[in-house]
Amino acid sequence: MAILTMREALNQAMREEMKRDPNVFLLGEEVGHYQGAYKITSGLVQEFGDWRVRDTPIAEEMIAGVAVGAAWVGMRPIAEMMTFNFSLLALDMMVNHAAKYRYMSGGQIRCPMVMRGPSGAAAQVAAQHSQSLESYFAHVPGLIVIMPSTPKDAKGLLKAAIRDDNPVVFMENEVLYNIKGEVPDEDYVIPIGLSEVKRTGHHVTIVAWSRMCYHSLLAAEMLAKEGIECEVVDPRTIRPLDEAPIFDSVRKTNHCVIVEEAWPQASVGAYISDRVQRECFDDLDAPVFRVNAPDVPMPYSKVLEKLYVPQPEKIVEAVKQVLA
Amino acid sequence: MPKKSAALKSRASAPAKSAPPAAKASTAARSEVVKPLAPGKTSKGAPPLDRAEARRLYRQMLLIRRFEERAQQIYVEGKIGGFLHLYIGQEAIACGIMSLLHKDDYFIGAYRDHGYSLARGADPKPLMAELMGRATGISRGKGGSMHFYDIPNGNFGGDGIVGGHIVVAAGMGYAIRLRGSEQCVVCFFGDGAINEGAFHEALNVSSLWDLPVVFVVENNMYGMGTSVERASAVTALHERGAAYNMVHLPCDGMDIVKVRDTFADAFARARKEKKPTFVEVITYRYRGHSMSDPGKYRSKEEVEKWQEKDPIARLGMFLLDHKFATGKELEAIDKDVMVEVDDCIKFSEESPWPPAEYMYEDIYVKTPTLNWRAVEKDPAWERSLPDDRVPVIYPPHVSQGVK
Ligand SMILES: Cc1ncc(C[n+]2csc(CCOP(=O)(O)OP(=O)(O)O)c2C)c(N)n1
Ligand SMILES: [Mg+2]
């Protein structure tokens, strides 16, 4: 196994899939000659040329729409959003086109595309550039939504997303791009819709994905020193949600904390919370506890930003509260 | 049916005037400024209409007209629901364009889409059944009037989001370039759609990347109740093509011969030079925007003035002039078409309603990259059908590079 950063793992996934299947191509702002705004696509234009690694004008609806149209006629495009904040300009393509035409045509169309890019807060880029908008996409039947937390998951799931015949929204996290982890050397994919228990424990279940899974694992380590054993379940895929491992864990620990970087209202965590209380009502010793960003836009100042993103300390506190 | 009207005659010999770029022409004046095709050096136009093709097109245009007239009737009877946008008056555009498309070309349009499918030669029975929400509908009763698709014939049909599909068409063109095939894409949209950002984004890249897409704005003078003059700073809509360094021209959409000539050149440009074209087809919608629109924003005289240019009557005249048909034969074609439409309604009424399971089908593709245990109780996944129903609609050869 090699030790790779999330950035390298994502790059490998795309390179390998582009080599494997000539129908795979990549497009987005600065993905080619600039080597990617976050250098995820570094080296790809040199290897595959301008048509398969297409630098586009700044036009998100077009980027997503070109991916949709190409996918409908048999290609496997990967559309990079410079960040998911800008995907709002392409939402119509995903919600009204990628997710709808199969249904409206009675199954005549398929849309094997991936929209990917960084999501979530970065470092002091303020309210418009720091959002976690996964619930926008997870709300929509017809879409798949994936949010990996480790380099291994990122590579295996991105490869699965590219091979999948459905439209996939693949949300990375800018802060995780530099984290390192073991990545298998062989060609592998991780099935979409497969939760993973990232740490076992018997006192409390923490459900968290993407950067919040990372923070939850740090919190679990801190709590272990005090004798509290957390089980951290990472759904990895937000839609479809692999619920069984979450329920199994809650039935064992009888306590549940859901951690997400997004706002609390109408969020993915709100949905998981509903599912857990419905399926595990008799097993719960306390109400499901949720940790979220505060219900406000992201402020700029670093002092305020730190308060905003759920930190491991905040998760530690939440676990103690749910166990109290 | 067709009579040689004075208006048609005078129209044919009317001297061409060109509109000054910023002219705020009234809709009435606009109808007079259609320039006849100014053939460029490479302009060849379409092959002349022979007897068989002219008669086929005449029947096809009539089929669209009668199909929609009957749809309108049964809508009033409550047999069709939702939106019903009629193409009546615009038939020459779809029929002229489709008559030039190749089997493996693609097209995509907006919700006023009955004419596209019929002109592409789709069986009208499943189309009527779709309007009536039956299981035998072309989209299994899940699309309705705005969503006719027939993918094996490259028909990506109707989009209900004004302008949205224009960027999608660019994506189809991009796929063709990547593959290196000789296909092309036709993208139909309305004068209202031209003000959406999607239009701008799509035309820019289609020109920038040399995509084989023919963009067709069907300028029927109104987007719902808003006339072009009240919606667009430039009323000669094709001139917007200049902003994208794209070949652009107007075309008389009430004359199928002119439509064919204009588009034959545009398709040649797409196939050979891999270059897009932007055509403004000037036309008129006789009926309201949809069934709920009484059309209070325009005068009876204005509508009548356009009806004098009726595209079906005009092609009928062409048939008579060229001795391709007699008046009696034209009447017989009309009767035949009406019988066909009645059969469609009969077929639809006898068709079953979609069973409840249909609700959960056709959302996802059954795919091996998924953990099935996770979704076995989710009806949207559980009832997702195997993808072998989806036809492979692209040539198998894939070229690696495009130069
Ligand atoms: C994005 C969007 N905005 C508004 C509407 C509502 N709407 C449906 S059709 C229409 C008018 C469009 O006119 P035009 O593009 O000229 O097409 P026509 O109806 O004349 O064929 C409007 C405003 C819509 N369907 N989609
Ligand atoms: Mg219009």
Side-chain angles (χ1 to χ4, degrees), chain B residues 205-232:
Chain B
V205 292
S206 298
S207 181
L208 184 68
W209 299 335
D210 289 337
L211 304 183
V213 186
V214 177
F215 295 98
V216 188
V217 58
E218 293 186 67
N219 182 359
N220 60 10
M221 307 292 149
Y222 294 90
M224 294 187 69
T226 304
S227 66
V228 170
E229 297 78 59
R230 295 204 299 131
S232 179

PDB file of all heavy atoms in Angstrom, chain B residues 205-232:
ATOM      1  N   VAL B 205     -19.522  28.568 -26.266  1.00  0.00           N
ATOM      2  CA  VAL B 205     -18.605  27.417 -26.370  1.00  0.00           C
ATOM      3  C   VAL B 205     -18.779  26.653 -27.681  1.00  0.00           C
ATOM      4  O   VAL B 205     -17.821  26.073 -28.191  1.00  0.00           O
ATOM      5  CB  VAL B 205     -18.701  26.435 -25.179  1.00  0.00           C
ATOM      6  CG1 VAL B 205     -18.185  27.087 -23.913  1.00  0.00           C
ATOM      7  CG2 VAL B 205     -20.101  25.884 -24.999  1.00  0.00           C
ATOM      8  N   SER B 206     -19.973  26.672 -28.237  1.00  0.00           N
ATOM      9  CA  SER B 206     -20.168  25.949 -29.496  1.00  0.00           C
ATOM     10  C   SER B 206     -19.332  26.571 -30.602  1.00  0.00           C
ATOM     11  O   SER B 206     -18.784  25.872 -31.458  1.00  0.00           O
ATOM     12  CB  SER B 206     -21.641  25.951 -29.879  1.00  0.00           C
ATOM     13  OG  SER B 206     -22.380  25.287 -28.889  1.00  0.00           O
ATOM     14  N   SER B 207     -19.221  27.877 -30.562  1.00  0.00           N
ATOM     15  CA  SER B 207     -18.393  28.558 -31.541  1.00  0.00           C
ATOM     16  C   SER B 207     -16.912  28.407 -31.186  1.00  0.00           C
ATOM     17  O   SER B 207     -16.079  28.075 -32.020  1.00  0.00           O
ATOM     18  CB  SER B 207     -18.789  30.033 -31.594  1.00  0.00           C
ATOM     19  OG  SER B 207     -18.015  30.704 -32.544  1.00  0.00           O
ATOM     20  N   LEU B 208     -16.605  28.593 -29.912  1.00  0.00           N
ATOM     21  CA  LEU B 208     -15.226  28.503 -29.434  1.00  0.00           C
ATOM     22  C   LEU B 208     -14.598  27.149 -29.746  1.00  0.00           C
ATOM     23  O   LEU B 208     -13.439  27.061 -30.152  1.00  0.00           O
ATOM     24  CB  LEU B 208     -15.243  28.733 -27.918  1.00  0.00           C
ATOM     25  CG  LEU B 208     -13.928  28.782 -27.161  1.00  0.00           C
ATOM     26  CD1 LEU B 208     -13.134  30.028 -27.549  1.00  0.00           C
ATOM     27  CD2 LEU B 208     -14.186  28.793 -25.642  1.00  0.00           C
ATOM     28  N   TRP B 209     -15.376  26.086 -29.552  1.00  0.00           N
ATOM     29  CA  TRP B 209     -14.840  24.729 -29.716  1.00  0.00           C
ATOM     30  C   TRP B 209     -15.220  24.077 -31.041  1.00  0.00           C
ATOM     31  O   TRP B 209     -14.940  22.901 -31.250  1.00  0.00           O
ATOM     32  CB  TRP B 209     -15.332  23.833 -28.558  1.00  0.00           C
ATOM     33  CG  TRP B 209     -14.905  24.303 -27.203  1.00  0.00           C
ATOM     34  CD1 TRP B 209     -13.809  25.072 -26.898  1.00  0.00           C
ATOM     35  CD2 TRP B 209     -15.562  24.038 -25.951  1.00  0.00           C
ATOM     36  NE1 TRP B 209     -13.761  25.296 -25.531  1.00  0.00           N
ATOM     37  CE2 TRP B 209     -14.820  24.668 -24.930  1.00  0.00           C
ATOM     38  CE3 TRP B 209     -16.705  23.328 -25.591  1.00  0.00           C
ATOM     39  CZ2 TRP B 209     -15.180  24.615 -23.579  1.00  0.00           C
ATOM     40  CZ3 TRP B 209     -17.068  23.264 -24.251  1.00  0.00           C
ATOM     41  CH2 TRP B 209     -16.306  23.898 -23.262  1.00  0.00           C
ATOM     42  N   ASP B 210     -15.899  24.808 -31.898  1.00  0.00           N
ATOM     43  CA  ASP B 210     -16.353  24.235 -33.179  1.00  0.00           C
ATOM     44  C   ASP B 210     -17.200  22.983 -32.990  1.00  0.00           C
ATOM     45  O   ASP B 210     -16.810  21.870 -33.364  1.00  0.00           O
ATOM     46  CB  ASP B 210     -15.151  23.896 -34.088  1.00  0.00           C
ATOM     47  CG  ASP B 210     -14.474  25.155 -34.616  1.00  0.00           C
ATOM     48  OD1 ASP B 210     -15.136  26.212 -34.659  1.00  0.00           O
ATOM     49  OD2 ASP B 210     -13.288  25.072 -34.978  1.00  0.00           O
ATOM     50  N   LEU B 211     -18.347  23.161 -32.408  1.00  0.00           N
ATOM     51  CA  LEU B 211     -19.240  22.028 -32.171  1.00  0.00           C
ATOM     52  C   LEU B 211     -20.285  21.945 -33.286  1.00  0.00           C
ATOM     53  O   LEU B 211     -20.814  22.968 -33.719  1.00  0.00           O
ATOM     54  CB  LEU B 211     -19.925  22.166 -30.802  1.00  0.00           C
ATOM     55  CG  LEU B 211     -18.979  22.326 -29.611  1.00  0.00           C
ATOM     56  CD1 LEU B 211     -19.780  22.390 -28.306  1.00  0.00           C
ATOM     57  CD2 LEU B 211     -17.966  21.183 -29.546  1.00  0.00           C
ATOM     58  N   PRO B 212     -20.583  20.734 -33.741  1.00  0.00           N
ATOM     59  CA  PRO B 212     -21.514  20.565 -34.868  1.00  0.00           C
ATOM     60  C   PRO B 212     -22.979  20.672 -34.430  1.00  0.00           C
ATOM     61  O   PRO B 212     -23.728  19.707 -34.500  1.00  0.00           O
ATOM     62  CB  PRO B 212     -21.181  19.165 -35.383  1.00  0.00           C
ATOM     63  CG  PRO B 212     -20.709  18.431 -34.175  1.00  0.00           C
ATOM     64  CD  PRO B 212     -20.021  19.440 -33.294  1.00  0.00           C
ATOM     65  N   VAL B 213     -23.355  21.843 -33.959  1.00  0.00           N
ATOM     66  CA  VAL B 213     -24.712  22.044 -33.460  1.00  0.00           C
ATOM     67  C   VAL B 213     -25.390  23.129 -34.289  1.00  0.00           C
ATOM     68  O   VAL B 213     -24.792  24.178 -34.550  1.00  0.00           O
ATOM     69  CB  VAL B 213     -24.708  22.476 -31.977  1.00  0.00           C
ATOM     70  CG1 VAL B 213     -26.136  22.539 -31.440  1.00  0.00           C
ATOM     71  CG2 VAL B 213     -23.859  21.537 -31.137  1.00  0.00           C
ATOM     72  N   VAL B 214     -26.602  22.871 -34.718  1.00  0.00           N
ATOM     73  CA  VAL B 214     -27.386  23.893 -35.413  1.00  0.00           C
ATOM     74  C   VAL B 214     -28.429  24.407 -34.431  1.00  0.00           C
ATOM     75  O   VAL B 214     -29.283  23.650 -33.963  1.00  0.00           O
ATOM     76  CB  VAL B 214     -28.043  23.307 -36.680  1.00  0.00           C
ATOM     77  CG1 VAL B 214     -28.907  24.369 -37.349  1.00  0.00           C
ATOM     78  CG2 VAL B 214     -26.964  22.799 -37.638  1.00  0.00           C
ATOM     79  N   PHE B 215     -28.299  25.676 -34.082  1.00  0.00           N
ATOM     80  CA  PHE B 215     -29.218  26.291 -33.123  1.00  0.00           C
ATOM     81  C   PHE B 215     -30.357  26.949 -33.881  1.00  0.00           C
ATOM     82  O   PHE B 215     -30.116  27.738 -34.799  1.00  0.00           O
ATOM     83  CB  PHE B 215     -28.479  27.325 -32.278  1.00  0.00           C
ATOM     84  CG  PHE B 215     -27.420  26.723 -31.399  1.00  0.00           C
ATOM     85  CD1 PHE B 215     -26.079  26.720 -31.794  1.00  0.00           C
ATOM     86  CD2 PHE B 215     -27.751  26.151 -30.186  1.00  0.00           C
ATOM     87  CE1 PHE B 215     -25.107  26.156 -30.988  1.00  0.00           C
ATOM     88  CE2 PHE B 215     -26.776  25.582 -29.373  1.00  0.00           C
ATOM     89  CZ  PHE B 215     -25.450  25.588 -29.773  1.00  0.00           C
ATOM     90  N   VAL B 216     -31.564  26.627 -33.482  1.00  0.00           N
ATOM     91  CA  VAL B 216     -32.745  27.121 -34.187  1.00  0.00           C
ATOM     92  C   VAL B 216     -33.622  27.882 -33.209  1.00  0.00           C
ATOM     93  O   VAL B 216     -34.211  27.286 -32.303  1.00  0.00           O
ATOM     94  CB  VAL B 216     -33.592  25.949 -34.723  1.00  0.00           C
ATOM     95  CG1 VAL B 216     -34.701  26.480 -35.625  1.00  0.00           C
ATOM     96  CG2 VAL B 216     -32.737  24.915 -35.424  1.00  0.00           C
ATOM     97  N   VAL B 217     -33.681  29.199 -33.355  1.00  0.00           N
ATOM     98  CA  VAL B 217     -34.658  29.907 -32.540  1.00  0.00           C
ATOM     99  C   VAL B 217     -35.928  30.029 -33.372  1.00  0.00           C
ATOM    100  O   VAL B 217     -35.927  30.563 -34.474  1.00  0.00           O
ATOM    101  CB  VAL B 217     -34.154  31.274 -32.015  1.00  0.00           C
ATOM    102  CG1 VAL B 217     -33.740  32.227 -33.128  1.00  0.00           C
ATOM    103  CG2 VAL B 217     -35.237  31.936 -31.162  1.00  0.00           C
ATOM    104  N   GLU B 218     -36.989  29.451 -32.858  1.00  0.00           N
ATOM    105  CA  GLU B 218     -38.281  29.549 -33.538  1.00  0.00           C
ATOM    106  C   GLU B 218     -38.930  30.829 -33.025  1.00  0.00           C
ATOM    107  O   GLU B 218     -39.556  30.845 -31.965  1.00  0.00           O
ATOM    108  CB  GLU B 218     -39.149  28.334 -33.235  1.00  0.00           C
ATOM    109  CG  GLU B 218     -38.577  27.054 -33.831  1.00  0.00           C
ATOM    110  CD  GLU B 218     -39.508  25.852 -33.670  1.00  0.00           C
ATOM    111  OE1 GLU B 218     -40.576  25.850 -34.276  1.00  0.00           O
ATOM    112  OE2 GLU B 218     -39.140  24.933 -32.926  1.00  0.00           O
ATOM    113  N   ASN B 219     -38.718  31.893 -33.773  1.00  0.00           N
ATOM    114  CA  ASN B 219     -39.270  33.181 -33.356  1.00  0.00           C
ATOM    115  C   ASN B 219     -40.734  33.246 -33.770  1.00  0.00           C
ATOM    116  O   ASN B 219     -41.060  33.638 -34.886  1.00  0.00           O
ATOM    117  CB  ASN B 219     -38.461  34.323 -33.977  1.00  0.00           C
ATOM    118  CG  ASN B 219     -38.984  35.676 -33.509  1.00  0.00           C
ATOM    119  OD1 ASN B 219     -39.955  35.746 -32.743  1.00  0.00           O
ATOM    120  ND2 ASN B 219     -38.349  36.745 -33.960  1.00  0.00           N
ATOM    121  N   ASN B 220     -41.587  32.846 -32.824  1.00  0.00           N
ATOM    122  CA  ASN B 220     -43.028  32.903 -33.101  1.00  0.00           C
ATOM    123  C   ASN B 220     -43.627  34.184 -32.516  1.00  0.00           C
ATOM    124  O   ASN B 220     -44.815  34.272 -32.269  1.00  0.00           O
ATOM    125  CB  ASN B 220     -43.743  31.643 -32.599  1.00  0.00           C
ATOM    126  CG  ASN B 220     -43.582  31.459 -31.097  1.00  0.00           C
ATOM    127  OD1 ASN B 220     -43.099  32.334 -30.382  1.00  0.00           O
ATOM    128  ND2 ASN B 220     -44.002  30.301 -30.605  1.00  0.00           N
ATOM    129  N   MET B 221     -42.741  35.130 -32.262  1.00  0.00           N
ATOM    130  CA  MET B 221     -43.107  36.503 -31.897  1.00  0.00           C
ATOM    131  C   MET B 221     -43.485  36.703 -30.426  1.00  0.00           C
ATOM    132  O   MET B 221     -43.509  37.832 -29.955  1.00  0.00           O
ATOM    133  CB  MET B 221     -44.255  37.053 -32.763  1.00  0.00           C
ATOM    134  CG  MET B 221     -44.004  36.931 -34.251  1.00  0.00           C
ATOM    135  SD  MET B 221     -42.672  38.026 -34.772  1.00  0.00           S
ATOM    136  CE  MET B 221     -42.003  37.086 -36.130  1.00  0.00           C
ATOM    137  N   TYR B 222     -43.742  35.619 -29.715  1.00  0.00           N
ATOM    138  CA  TYR B 222     -44.133  35.766 -28.316  1.00  0.00           C
ATOM    139  C   TYR B 222     -43.537  34.665 -27.449  1.00  0.00           C
ATOM    140  O   TYR B 222     -43.422  33.517 -27.879  1.00  0.00           O
ATOM    141  CB  TYR B 222     -45.668  35.673 -28.153  1.00  0.00           C
ATOM    142  CG  TYR B 222     -46.407  36.822 -28.799  1.00  0.00           C
ATOM    143  CD1 TYR B 222     -46.817  36.718 -30.118  1.00  0.00           C
ATOM    144  CD2 TYR B 222     -46.671  37.998 -28.096  1.00  0.00           C
ATOM    145  CE1 TYR B 222     -47.477  37.767 -30.737  1.00  0.00           C
ATOM    146  CE2 TYR B 222     -47.328  39.055 -28.708  1.00  0.00           C
ATOM    147  CZ  TYR B 222     -47.732  38.941 -30.029  1.00  0.00           C
ATOM    148  OH  TYR B 222     -48.370  39.979 -30.624  1.00  0.00           O
ATOM    149  N   GLY B 223     -43.186  35.019 -26.230  1.00  0.00           N
ATOM    150  CA  GLY B 223     -42.941  34.059 -25.164  1.00  0.00           C
ATOM    151  C   GLY B 223     -44.097  34.258 -24.203  1.00  0.00           C
ATOM    152  O   GLY B 223     -44.208  35.321 -23.582  1.00  0.00           O
ATOM    153  N   MET B 224     -44.980  33.319 -24.125  1.00  0.00           N
ATOM    154  CA  MET B 224     -46.288  33.492 -23.468  1.00  0.00           C
ATOM    155  C   MET B 224     -46.939  34.767 -24.004  1.00  0.00           C
ATOM    156  O   MET B 224     -47.226  34.837 -25.192  1.00  0.00           O
ATOM    157  CB  MET B 224     -46.159  33.483 -21.939  1.00  0.00           C
ATOM    158  CG  MET B 224     -45.705  32.106 -21.427  1.00  0.00           C
ATOM    159  SD  MET B 224     -45.686  31.886 -19.647  1.00  0.00           S
ATOM    160  CE  MET B 224     -47.435  31.894 -19.268  1.00  0.00           C
ATOM    161  N   GLY B 225     -47.122  35.787 -23.159  1.00  0.00           N
ATOM    162  CA  GLY B 225     -47.795  36.997 -23.637  1.00  0.00           C
ATOM    163  C   GLY B 225     -46.839  38.128 -23.929  1.00  0.00           C
ATOM    164  O   GLY B 225     -47.261  39.251 -24.228  1.00  0.00           O
ATOM    165  N   THR B 226     -45.538  37.858 -23.838  1.00  0.00           N
ATOM    166  CA  THR B 226     -44.557  38.927 -23.998  1.00  0.00           C
ATOM    167  C   THR B 226     -43.969  38.890 -25.400  1.00  0.00           C
ATOM    168  O   THR B 226     -43.331  37.914 -25.789  1.00  0.00           O
ATOM    169  CB  THR B 226     -43.445  38.785 -22.943  1.00  0.00           C
ATOM    170  OG1 THR B 226     -44.050  38.766 -21.654  1.00  0.00           O
ATOM    171  CG2 THR B 226     -42.465  39.941 -23.012  1.00  0.00           C
ATOM    172  N   SER B 227     -44.189  39.951 -26.148  1.00  0.00           N
ATOM    173  CA  SER B 227     -43.685  39.983 -27.518  1.00  0.00           C
ATOM    174  C   SER B 227     -42.174  40.161 -27.500  1.00  0.00           C
ATOM    175  O   SER B 227     -41.587  40.614 -26.513  1.00  0.00           O
ATOM    176  CB  SER B 227     -44.335  41.127 -28.285  1.00  0.00           C
ATOM    177  OG  SER B 227     -43.914  42.356 -27.719  1.00  0.00           O
ATOM    178  N   VAL B 228     -41.561  39.806 -28.600  1.00  0.00           N
ATOM    179  CA  VAL B 228     -40.110  39.928 -28.710  1.00  0.00           C
ATOM    180  C   VAL B 228     -39.659  41.362 -28.424  1.00  0.00           C
ATOM    181  O   VAL B 228     -38.663  41.581 -27.728  1.00  0.00           O
ATOM    182  CB  VAL B 228     -39.650  39.467 -30.113  1.00  0.00           C
ATOM    183  CG1 VAL B 228     -38.193  39.813 -30.346  1.00  0.00           C
ATOM    184  CG2 VAL B 228     -39.862  37.975 -30.271  1.00  0.00           C
ATOM    185  N   GLU B 229     -40.411  42.330 -28.919  1.00  0.00           N
ATOM    186  CA  GLU B 229     -40.014  43.743 -28.707  1.00  0.00           C
ATOM    187  C   GLU B 229     -39.994  44.103 -27.231  1.00  0.00           C
ATOM    188  O   GLU B 229     -39.256  44.987 -26.817  1.00  0.00           O
ATOM    189  CB  GLU B 229     -40.983  44.711 -29.397  1.00  0.00           C
ATOM    190  CG  GLU B 229     -41.055  44.600 -30.899  1.00  0.00           C
ATOM    191  CD  GLU B 229     -41.901  43.420 -31.325  1.00  0.00           C
ATOM    192  OE1 GLU B 229     -43.087  43.380 -30.956  1.00  0.00           O
ATOM    193  OE2 GLU B 229     -41.352  42.519 -31.987  1.00  0.00           O
ATOM    194  N   ARG B 230     -40.809  43.424 -26.456  1.00  0.00           N
ATOM    195  CA  ARG B 230     -40.848  43.743 -25.034  1.00  0.00           C
ATOM    196  C   ARG B 230     -39.862  42.894 -24.233  1.00  0.00           C
ATOM    197  O   ARG B 230     -39.727  43.074 -23.028  1.00  0.00           O
ATOM    198  CB  ARG B 230     -42.273  43.545 -24.490  1.00  0.00           C
ATOM    199  CG  ARG B 230     -43.267  44.518 -25.123  1.00  0.00           C
ATOM    200  CD  ARG B 230     -44.471  44.746 -24.212  1.00  0.00           C
ATOM    201  NE  ARG B 230     -45.200  43.512 -23.971  1.00  0.00           N
ATOM    202  CZ  ARG B 230     -45.557  43.094 -22.751  1.00  0.00           C
ATOM    203  NH1 ARG B 230     -45.252  43.796 -21.685  1.00  0.00           N
ATOM    204  NH2 ARG B 230     -46.228  41.983 -22.623  1.00  0.00           N
ATOM    205  N   ALA B 231     -39.175  41.959 -24.898  1.00  0.00           N
ATOM    206  CA  ALA B 231     -38.284  41.056 -24.155  1.00  0.00           C
ATOM    207  C   ALA B 231     -36.828  41.129 -24.601  1.00  0.00           C
ATOM    208  O   ALA B 231     -35.932  40.778 -23.843  1.00  0.00           O
ATOM    209  CB  ALA B 231     -38.774  39.622 -24.287  1.00  0.00           C
ATOM    210  N   SER B 232     -36.593  41.563 -25.823  1.00  0.00           N
ATOM    211  CA  SER B 232     -35.240  41.466 -26.351  1.00  0.00           C
ATOM    212  C   SER B 232     -34.774  42.819 -26.880  1.00  0.00           C
ATOM    213  O   SER B 232     -35.471  43.463 -27.666  1.00  0.00           O
ATOM    214  CB  SER B 232     -35.201  40.426 -27.483  1.00  0.00           C
ATOM    215  OG  SER B 232     -33.892  40.344 -27.999  1.00  0.00           O
TER     216      SER B 232
END
